[in-house]
Amino acid sequence: MSSVRRALGTAVILAGFSLFGPASVAFALAEAPAIADLNCRDFQYQEDAQAELEKDRSDPHNLDDDNDGIACETRPKRGTATSKTITPAPVPTFKDKDCADFPSQAAAQAELKKNPRDPHKLDGDHDGYACESRFGEPAKSGQVKVKPVGGVATGGGDAVEGNGGFLEVTAVALTGAALLTVSAAGASLVLRRRAER
């Protein structure tokens, strides 16, 4: 019987700890002051944030983002003549230029050369020359850049072909056709006369 009592007593004590242990911890936490979450904007000076970091090096407020031991490095330091606020550099704005904005084709060409992606659309036909519609093609360009296909020869500077040019070939073909026609007419006439005899 004494072993049963001992077991029951142990069970009651364990039940008491299991019930009252968590409750006492919860009461203790409720009595503890709430920890305010801080960030760098809550400190006027870097030294104040550094003092807060020194209180708890585990950095529960994440005041030392880069883990170098210095809290809130962007905040101004005490004793500086003026507290500097970091202002971002102004973002350059894109100023669109048109051919009318350039005094000459060379100036427009220089702008196109600076950025061949042509954000200003100075080279509408993508042939490498800027503002031809306003200034005309540069004087030193000479020939056309793209040789036309299937048309009259444009004088593209190619070497003359070995079998003659277009006019020579046409003249030979027409002469051959005329001789063939005369020969066929003559043969037909001879055959008709023989048939009549």
Side-chain angles (χ1 to χ4, degrees), residues 109-196:
Q109 190 70 31
E111 182 68 30
L112 178 63
K113 204 173 208 179
K114 272 197 251 178
N115 190 347
R117 289 183 298 150
D118 194 16
H120 303 291
K121 308 283 187 270
L122 301 176
D123 182 14
D125 57 0
H126 309 290
D127 66 348
Y129 296 110
C131 299
E132 294 167 283
S133 60
R134 178 160 189 231
F135 300 107
E137 196 169 309
K140 59 183 173 180
S141 69
Q143 299 290 330
V144 293
K145 285 188 153 203
V146 179
K147 182 177 178 183
V149 177
V152 178
T154 59
D158 294 340
V160 177
E161 297 173 10
N163 60 356
F166 178 73
L167 292 176
E168 289 88 359
V169 172
T170 304
V172 170
L174 287 175
T175 304
L179 287 174
L180 185 61
T181 304
V182 169
S183 298
S188 173
L189 186 62
V190 168
L191 287 175
R192 195 178 310 155
R193 284 196 181 169
R194 281 190 185 170
E196 289 176 359

Side-chain angles (χ1 to χ4, degrees), residues 14-34:
L14 288 174
F17 278 129
S18 67
L19 286 174
F20 295 114
S24 63
V25 171
F27 284 124
L29 289 175
E31 293 293 322

Side-chain angles (χ1 to χ4, degrees), residues 12-67:
V12 168
I13 291 171
L14 288 174
F17 278 129
S18 67
L19 286 174
F20 295 114
S24 63
V25 171
F27 284 124
L29 289 175
E31 293 293 322
I35 298 173
D37 186 29
L38 300 172
N39 60 43
C40 290
R41 289 188 306 262
D42 295 326
F43 300 98
Q44 183 176 3
Y45 298 106
Q46 186 275 329
E47 291 88 352
D48 299 332
Q50 188 69 34
E52 185 65 33
L53 178 64
E54 298 297 329
K55 287 181 193 174
D56 186 355
R57 294 301 288 179
S58 68
D59 195 15
H61 305 295
N62 198 24
L63 300 176
D64 181 16
D65 285 338
D66 55 2
N67 296 321

Side-chain angles (χ1 to χ4, degrees), residues 61-109:
H61 305 295
N62 198 24
L63 300 176
D64 181 16
D65 285 338
D66 55 2
N67 296 321
D68 64 350
I70 302 171
C72 301
E73 297 170 73
T74 58
R75 300 306 297 163
K77 292 191 178 270
R78 201 176 262 117
T80 54
T82 57
S83 60
K84 294 180 181 177
T85 54
I86 299 171
T87 54
V91 178
T93 55
F94 177 76
K95 184 180 179 205
D96 188 30
K97 296 179 181 177
D98 297 321
C99 290
D101 297 327
F102 297 98
S104 66
Q105 194 280 331
Q109 190 70 31

